[in-house]
Amino acid sequence: MPDRVAAPSAPAQRWPARVRVARASLLFGLSVLLLLAGVAVFFLGAPGPGTALWTTATVIGLAYSTVSIGAAVRRRQPSVDVIAWLALLGALLVGEPVAGAVIAVMLFTGGVLEARASARARRELSLLAARAPRTARRQGPEGMREVPVDQVAVGDRLLVGAGEIVPVDGRLIDAGVFDESALSGEANPVDRVAGDDVRSGVVNAGSSVTMIAIQSAAKSTYAGVVRLVEQAQADSAPFVRLADRFALGFVPLTLVVAGLAWAVTGDPVRAVAVLVVATPCPLLLAAPIAIMSGLSRAARHGVILKGGAALERLAAGRVLLFDKTGTLTSGRPALTGIVTAGRLAADDVLRLAACIDQVSAHVLAATIVTAARERHLDLDTPMEVRERHGYGIEGFADGHAVRLGKAAWIVDGPTPGWVRRARRRAALDGSLTVFVAIDGQPAGVILLTDPLRPDAPRMLRALRQAGIRRAALVTGDRGDIAETIGRIVGVDAVYADRDPAEKLAIVRAEQRTSPTIMVGDGINDAPALAAAGAGVALGARGSTASTEAADVVLTADRVDGLADAILIARRSHHIARRAAAVGMAMSLAAMILAAAGLLSPTAGAILQEGIDVAAIAIALTALLPSRTLTVTLPQADLSQTRQLYAQHLAIRPLVEQVRVVADDLGGPRADVASARALTDQLESDLLPHEQSEEQQLLPILERALGPDPIASLSRTHAEIEHQVRRIRRACDDLGEQPDPDEITDLRGALYGLYAILRLHNAQEEENAFSLMPAKAHPPPT
């Protein structure tokens, strides 16, 4: 059977860490036993055996430090263990076996604390790699076979059973429910519909599903996460490397102080006492533990930092540069409207187009099929489907000949007015167009666009709270679209129509003035990500090139976690410095006391033990929960919000119908009946939905964000109801032969309502529905 979450076996790469913990614990236990046994025997009146036990503990510590120093010499690396070695040897030579035993306990205590703290700090990172899928169930001509995951090829049909890990990145054939917490940190199951992409490493939390592999195992998401984990664990932070160098410089200082204390007083015991208290463990242990703890905390929030150096660069960032596509926008097209020729309703045009697109591999096909399913349209199995390269696709569905693709293939002869209207709207909105013909006649145009991420504006506000002083949008898109996105999100500058080389130049220019963070997800972003102080890639859907070039990878398909990652990085870096500073200050003070004869070697050993524990305890506080900017809804509020969001989605077609009816009223024969029918639907469907949001959604939003955002939303609810009542009165006042002025007023009221609804929906998606964890719902329109 393929790998299940219930019983993942421990990978081979983790056993050395457990061996190190076990070895350190064994030596610590033995040294403590010898120390306590010596104390017990001594107070029972047998000082000789007690001294022998203490001497044995000292000799074990001396042998351990000798082996450690020898290993460092073989690696041609200097070692600060020479201080402990001299302290142990000095304790034996001056007849202080109890001090030597305490030093041995201190030495092994440091080993235990380091091994256990590092293991705990790496736990979240290691768990990601520990559960990598190893097998898959592949459907083929010979039936169902279990194969190693490395043998899965793009296009293979795979079955993922309940509780099993998705082996490779794939596209769902069936709808499913998945636990994506291993990648995103989100504990709640995520519903995904047929046609959605799922990433390797997530767990099927529902019934069995079938999927098509879209990546090999080596190129899938989880393999990339494992590589990131290995890199993160291998890299050390600049501050940690600086601490190591300072610790080495501490060795000659210690020897000088110890030598002076002996030379001035003639008492070798003082020199031994200085050596005992002079270990630079706060630098050697506390700093890396705090940095690793920060990496662990970030991983728990769905952010992989490629080592301590990446953490420090992220903490230092003050200027933030964004790419647009896939970063501030969703990165995939979404249905924004359907303009029809008038023969068929918009839903009929969409349904027939989606029937054909079910078997299409075109990048826009999945969007059209998903939009139809979200409107609960019944999709028949298409027949005789043929792709026409460079033009589109055609086939038969529900007894109709359906063709969709480019305008030149669909529309012959003079351009109808509805086509001109659709093209004008697409040009203004920056939309893609898919033309549809039914039974040889042009039937409509499907408009698609890459919408703004609903969490993007709030994310930028959170980043400013986290200390970002300047934000800029850097994109290859055209200027008017980029300026619009930039104004909505709230950036300080917009750089549009930029190629990768120009993006790179902008990053370098910003980097010269302040530490810079660059966020992107495309191949063209890779040079800029590599050049920035800290590069951030969206690993959920980003390219391999951008993920490899970046220092930070967001495993969840949302960008608001970046602010939390910056806070975690800054807090961990601050804790590392504080732990090292406090520990070394106490150690230096103890050296002065020892040199002055105020500390015996035994008391100094006990004091140094306390200093080490205190420094490491400070470092471990980086693992504790801290202030974050991401808002998490309680489960009850989340369930209610999802229900309201489903209603929100169902209302979208009605909102677009307001514009369609207003457009039709401008024709030579105003369709007043459609306006009256639309008004009936607004009163029966739209107003109850807005009232439900007023009563249920706004209290949830107030609990999550406070009272500020709800005032404008509540006012808009009232305005929507007012506008619908006005439209009702306008329709009731129309006679059999409406006056042109009356039609003009009605059209104006409809266009006004449409604008209010679009703005209101965008506000709700930004302030309320974006609080839901990333899941398979369509981007905002």
Side-chain angles (χ1 to χ4, degrees):
M1 290 291 290
D3 304 301
R4 291 179 178 269
V5 174
S9 61
Q13 72 253 26
R14 291 187 62 196
W15 74 265
R18 289 200 295 269
V19 169
R20 287 194 295 270
V21 172
R23 182 185 62 189
S25 300
L26 177 62
L27 290 172
F28 169 72
L30 179 60
S31 62
V32 170
L33 179 64
L34 291 171
L35 175 63
L36 295 179
V39 171
V41 171
F42 182 86
F43 281 104
L44 288 175
T51 300
L53 290 171
W54 293 330
T55 302
T56 301
T58 305
V59 170
I60 292 174
L62 187 63
Y64 177 84
S65 59
T66 302
V67 171
S68 177
I69 293 172
V73 170
R74 286 193 299 273
R75 295 192 302 269
R76 297 182 179 181
Q77 294 177 346
S79 173
V80 296
D81 283 344
V82 67
I83 297 178
W85 187 86
L86 290 172
L88 289 163
L89 181 62
L92 290 175
L93 294 178
V94 300
E96 290 277 354
V98 64
V102 174
I103 295 170
V105 171
M106 177 187 70
L107 182 68
F108 296 132
T109 300
V112 170
L113 290 174
E114 178 184 17
R116 291 188 178 276
S118 295
R120 181 184 175 190
R122 293 172 185 260
R123 182 170 54 200
E124 278 75 22
L125 298 175
S126 300
L127 286 176
L128 291 175
R131 53 191 299 286
R134 292 178 291 277
T135 60
R137 284 191 282 177
R138 182 171 62 190
Q139 294 178 346
E142 68 280 4
M144 185 74 64
R145 291 185 58 189
E146 184 174 328
V147 298
V149 70
D150 293 338
Q151 296 182 11
V152 174
V154 175
D156 283 352
R157 190 183 182 99
L158 306 177
L159 178 68
V160 183
E164 294 178 2
I165 301 173
V166 175
V168 297
D169 292 354
R171 183 163 294 133
L172 290 176
I173 297 176
D174 311 311
V177 181
F178 297 89
D179 175 3
E180 301 187 354
S181 57
L183 295 182
S184 66
E186 168 54 43
N188 295 312
V190 176
D191 296 315
R192 296 205 174 273
V193 300
D196 271 4
D197 292 346
V198 290
R199 295 175 287 165
S200 61
V202 306
V203 179
N204 181 9
S207 56
S208 298
V209 296
T210 308
M211 56 174 267
I212 299 294
I214 60 176
Q215 288 286 7
S216 64
K219 295 182 178 179
S220 287
T221 300
Y222 216 76
V225 169
V226 172
R227 288 192 295 270
L228 295 177
V229 169
E230 291 170 350
Q231 183 173 353
Q233 293 182 339
D235 192 20
S236 62
F239 176 66
V240 172
R241 294 193 292 270
L242 177 63
D244 291 342
R245 291 193 294 269
F246 186 84
L248 293 174
F250 193 72
V251 174
L253 172 65
T254 300
L255 296 178
V256 168
V257 173
L260 287 175
W262 189 357
V264 171
T265 65
D267 185 1
V269 175
R270 293 195 183 190
V272 172
V274 170
L275 293 173
V276 167
V277 299
T279 60
C281 289
L283 283 173
L284 297 176
L285 299 183
I289 286 173
I291 297 297
M292 283 301 302
S293 298
L295 300 181
S296 174
R297 285 279 298 161
R300 201 178 304 168
H301 285 261
V303 180
I304 298 295
L305 297 165
K306 295 183 181 179
L311 182 143
E312 288 200 22
R313 289 195 293 270
L314 185 66
R318 292 296 181 270
V319 174
L320 194 66
L321 305 177
F322 291 99
D323 176 50
K324 181 182 75 70
T325 303
T327 303
L328 295 181
T329 64
S330 68
R332 50 189 171 194
L335 177 69
T336 55
I338 303 172
V339 179
T340 70
R343 296 190 302 110
L344 294 174
D347 279 358
D348 292 331
V349 172
L350 176 61
R351 181 179 65 84
L352 292 173
C355 288
I356 302 298
D357 265 339
Q358 288 179 102
V359 296
S360 174
H362 194 277
V363 65
L364 300 180
T367 298
I368 293 175
V369 173
T370 299
R373 287 188 169 133
E374 284 163 359
R375 296 191 182 193
H376 305 291
L377 304 179
D378 295 327
L379 303 184
D380 295 334
T381 302
M383 306 291 292
E384 302 179 28
V385 178
R386 293 178 297 174
E387 297 269 4
R388 295 294 184 92
H389 183 68
Y391 291 96
I393 188 172
E394 61 182 352
F396 290 88
D398 196 21
H400 297 279
V402 183
R403 176 183 289 185
L404 55 153
K406 292 184 176 180
W409 194 42
I410 303 297
V411 181
D412 294 326
T415 304
W418 63 272
V419 173
R420 291 194 299 271
R421 187 168 70 245
R423 284 175 169 167
R424 183 169 60 251
R425 179 174 171 183
L428 291 173
D429 296 340
S431 302
L432 299 172
T433 56
V434 178
F435 285 78
V436 183
I438 309 295
D439 296 328
Q441 297 296 319
V445 182
I446 298 174
L447 302 175
L448 307 170
T449 192
D450 181 16
L452 180 72
R453 286 178 178 267
D455 59 334
R458 192 177 69 251
M459 176 269 300
L460 188 54
R461 292 193 294 270
L463 286 167
R464 293 193 188 277
Q465 293 181 47
I468 295 299
R469 295 194 293 260
R470 172 176 164 81
L473 174 59
V474 185
T475 178
D477 214 334
R478 71 190 204 204
D480 58 339
I481 295 176
E483 289 285 351
T484 299
I485 294 293
R487 282 196 300 272
I488 294 173
V489 174
V491 298
D492 301 303
V494 175
Y495 302 97
D497 295 308
R498 306 300 171 123
D499 60 25
E502 290 171 323
K503 287 185 178 181
L504 181 59
I506 291 170
V507 170
R508 286 174 173 168
E510 295 284 356
Q511 182 72 11
R512 284 193 290 268
T513 60
S514 293
T516 301
I517 301 171
M518 174 70 190
V519 186
D521 79 328
I523 293 175
N524 63 337
D525 298 322
L529 292 173
V536 181
L538 273 70
R541 287 200 316 273
S543 71
T544 301
S546 65
T547 302
E548 294 294 336
D551 303 292
V552 183
V553 178
L554 306 179
T555 61
D557 188 19
R558 55 189 303 141
V559 291
D560 54 359
L562 179 57
D564 288 341
I566 292 175
L567 288 179
I568 291 170
R570 289 181 179 166
R571 178 172 178 265
S572 301
H573 189 251
H574 173 72
I575 289 174
R577 290 179 177 274
R578 182 175 61 190
V582 170
M584 291 309 298
M586 291 191 294
S587 186
L588 289 171
M591 288 173 62
I592 295 172
L593 293 176
L598 299 177
L599 278 178
S600 68
T602 301
I606 295 173
L607 177 61
Q608 184 59 46
E609 179 86 355
I611 293 173
D612 290 348
V613 172
I616 292 176
I618 293 173
L620 283 175
T621 59
L623 281 173
L624 299 176
S626 58
R627 181 177 73 95
T628 58
L629 298 171
T630 299
V631 177
T632 302
L633 294 178
Q635 186 59 46
D637 287 351
L638 180 59
S639 299
Q640 185 67 54
T641 303
R642 283 177 169 161
Q643 294 176 13
L644 292 169
Y645 186 71
Q647 299 173 18
H648 180 85
L649 293 180
I651 290 296
R652 279 186 183 174
L654 178 58
V655 173
E656 293 305 314
Q657 186 64 18
V658 173
R659 177 169 180 165
V660 171
V661 170
D663 288 343
D664 291 343
L665 287 173
R669 299 183 60 184
D671 191 356
V672 177
S674 295
R676 290 193 173 101
L678 172 66
T679 305
D680 292 340
Q681 197 171 2
L682 291 173
E683 291 177 334
S684 63
D685 296 345
L686 178 67
L687 292 185
H689 169 67
E690 302 299 332
Q691 291 165 1
S692 296
E693 289 183 336
E694 180 75 22
Q695 298 167 5
Q696 301 173 32
L697 182 64
L698 296 194
I700 293 174
L701 191 58
E702 185 173 15
R703 287 193 292 271
L705 302 177
D708 289 344
I710 70 169
S712 59
L713 292 177
S714 181
R715 175 65 182 87
T716 313
H717 285 152
E719 183 62 26
I720 290 170
E721 184 171 356
H722 170 64
Q723 292 296 327
V724 172
R725 301 303 183 206
R726 284 190 65 231
I727 292 170
R728 163 58 67 192
R729 290 196 298 272
C731 288
D732 291 344
D733 290 343
L734 293 177
E736 294 296 329
Q737 297 294 328
D739 185 271
D741 290 340
E742 292 178 321
I743 297 297
T744 300
D745 290 342
L746 179 57
R747 289 188 74 199
L750 288 170
Y751 282 130
L753 176 63
Y754 176 75
I756 292 172
L757 288 172
R758 290 279 302 210
L759 176 61
H760 176 65
N761 287 349
Q763 290 175 328
E764 287 186 333
E765 285 156 0
E766 174 186 335
N767 291 316
F769 297 126
S770 67
L771 298 179
M772 297 187 301
K775 58 174 293 182
H777 59 64
T781 55

